[in-house]
Amino acid sequence: MSTPDCLFCKVSSGDIPAEKVHDDGELFAIKDINPAAPTHVLVIPHRHIETILDLGPDDEKMVGKMYTVAKNLAQEAGIADDGYRVVANCNRDGGQSVYHIHFHVLGGRRFGWPPG
Ligand code: 5GP
Ligand code: ZN
């Protein structure tokens, strides 16, 4: 299930330390090492899935749960009412740098649109 050279598989297994803010056995969440906003956490499935293009019908429930975890973390961080952003970058033009899917949950400042 895990891929040896994958950064988030190593975080999942505990081989690489991270500041974990959630873990329910299926999904975990960590603080981003290079935050782009006052709150910046990543919601990540323990299972290795390279990109959101690799998601299939069997993953629909898990993806829904990723939004619920993102919402709960936004509320816990106190950014929910003012607003926050959930982002999944895909492949080169989407700006993906870690090829193990994750949702960015960002908040604590006002974002521009469209993104750069
Ligand atoms: P992507 O560019 O794939 O959408 O997002 C990857 C995110 O992972 C980036 O925001 C980056 O700062 C974060 N990141 C990269 N390496 C590490 C790490 O070792 N620990 C943590 N907590 N975040 C990381
Ligand atoms: Zn992985």
Side-chain angles (χ1 to χ4, degrees), residues 32-110:
D32 197 290
I33 205 168
N34 184 22
T39 295
H40 187 174
V41 298
L42 306 170
V43 179
I44 310 169
H46 279 286
R47 181 159 56 95
H48 182 82
I49 304 168
E50 274 197 15
T51 80
I52 55 172
L53 283 168
D54 299 304
L55 291 166
D58 289 349
D59 300 312
E60 286 172 7
K61 200 169 170 194
M62 181 201 72
V63 174
K65 193 162 120 185
M66 288 175 76
Y67 278 104
T68 301
V69 169
K71 177 191 76 168
N72 292 339
L73 292 170
Q75 287 174 328
E76 281 165 26
I79 58 169
D81 289 344
D82 283 343
Y84 65 103
R85 191 170 282 181
V86 180
V87 176
N89 297 324
C90 184
N91 280 341
R92 184 197 60 199
D93 284 359
Q96 185 170 5
S97 60
V98 177
Y99 280 76
H100 176 138
I101 66 164
H102 48 282
F103 281 179
H104 296 257
V105 182
L106 300 138
R109 67 174 175 85
R110 193 167 292 188

Side-chain angles (χ1 to χ4, degrees), residues 6 8-9 48 100:
C6 171
F8 288 164
C9 282
H48 182 82
H100 176 138

